[in-house]
Amino acid sequence: MDKVKIAVLVSGGGTNLQAILDAQTSGALHSGEVRLVISNRPDAYALQRAEKAGVPTRMVVRGAQGSRETFEAGLLAALEEFDIQLIVLAGFMAILSGDFTARYEKRILNVHPSLIPAFCGEGYYGLRVHQAALEKGVKVTGATVHFVNEVPDGGEIIAQKAVAVHPGDTPERLQKRVMRQAEWKILPAAIESVAAGMCSE
Ligand code: GAR
């Protein structure tokens, strides 16, 4: 089978997108190929990373008054335009409906910056996750890659990696360590594993 066509959905800096693109360049990710990057924020630096790598981009923004249905219809149109088979949420700060996730059962991956089931679900995203981990005083945190279903951060876990919390950590320092030691490693590896499985179906 040809390579699995992947879309990466982003909202911010896109360091996870970069890790995926780098894994493609190195050959670590070879069963799939990033064919599209979708951002729901016009100012996302991730868009520049995609453009630099020659990957087509689409913007799908949910306006202040915009409905989830219209937003998701926009996402679907872009995904169908590029015949996308596998979706990766890489710092995508929007929750997808059950109707949407059911269309792509076991075909949507998300990376979350904690060891699920700790510090996850609605309201836990980005630096807030690390803030909550520090407030709780955990000594170990990490990252999780999981399939996405109708429950926020509730789908089947694919990979996890633990990361130590250091005395005096700030949310920013902890976020960087979790990204470097866990997210940027387990996300491309999980994508390769799922894409390889799809190729052999
Ligand atoms: C990452 O830490 C990712 O795990 C997190 O946002 C950051 C995005 O960084 N995602 C969530 O919190 C989703 N619940 P990036 O744009 O540099 O990849």
Side-chain angles (χ1 to χ4, degrees):
M1 186 180 143
D2 291 341
K3 290 187 185 213
V4 171
K5 295 175 198 138
I6 300 169
V8 183
L9 276 53
V10 298
S11 302
T15 64
N16 278 289
L17 168 66
Q18 191 65 56
I20 297 165
L21 295 170
D22 292 349
Q24 219 170 254
T25 305
S26 75
L29 172 56
H30 53 85
S31 300
E33 189 173 48
V34 180
R35 294 285 188 93
L36 173 66
V37 169
I38 303 178
S39 174
N40 66 340
R41 297 215 183 124
D43 56 349
Y45 183 69
L47 286 167
Q48 292 183 43
R49 297 181 188 271
E51 275 155 27
K52 200 168 165 210
V55 179
T57 61
R58 290 288 182 273
M59 194 92 68
V60 182
V61 176
R62 179 175 173 178
Q65 313 298 327
S67 72
R68 180 140 87 178
E69 287 75 18
T70 311
F71 174 61
E72 291 186 346
L75 292 177
L76 281 175
L79 295 167
E80 280 163 14
E81 180 189 352
F82 287 86
D83 199 17
I84 294 303
Q85 298 163 293
L86 184 63
I87 300 168
V88 178
L89 310 184
F92 186 61
M93 303 303 178
I95 291 177
L96 298 168
S97 72
D99 283 347
F100 186 98
T101 58
R103 281 174 180 260
Y104 291 95
E105 204 189 341
K106 296 264 174 88
R107 295 291 181 263
I108 311 177
L109 276 63
N110 179 48
V111 62
H112 182 77
S114 75
L115 293 174
I116 290 175
F119 314 117
C120 67
E122 228 163 327
Y124 285 101
Y125 57 86
L127 279 173
R128 288 172 183 231
V129 178
H130 303 293
Q131 176 90 51
L134 291 174
E135 276 167 11
K136 187 69 191 172
V138 295
K139 304 302 174 211
V140 174
T141 184
T144 303
V145 179
H146 62 92
F147 286 117
V148 175
N149 65 10
E150 70 284 0
V151 181
D153 298 325
E156 184 188 327
I157 291 172
I158 303 168
Q160 290 189 302
K161 191 163 189 289
V163 174
V165 178
H166 293 176
D169 265 348
T170 59
E172 290 79 6
R173 278 172 56 180
L174 186 55
Q175 179 184 54
K176 283 208 183 84
R177 190 177 315 115
V178 169
M179 284 175 157
R180 195 174 303 121
Q181 293 186 8
E183 296 185 48
W184 301 342
K185 293 181 178 172
I186 64 173
L187 181 59
I191 296 168
E192 172 56 27
S193 153
V194 171
M198 289 170 70
C199 287
S200 62
E201 269 173 9

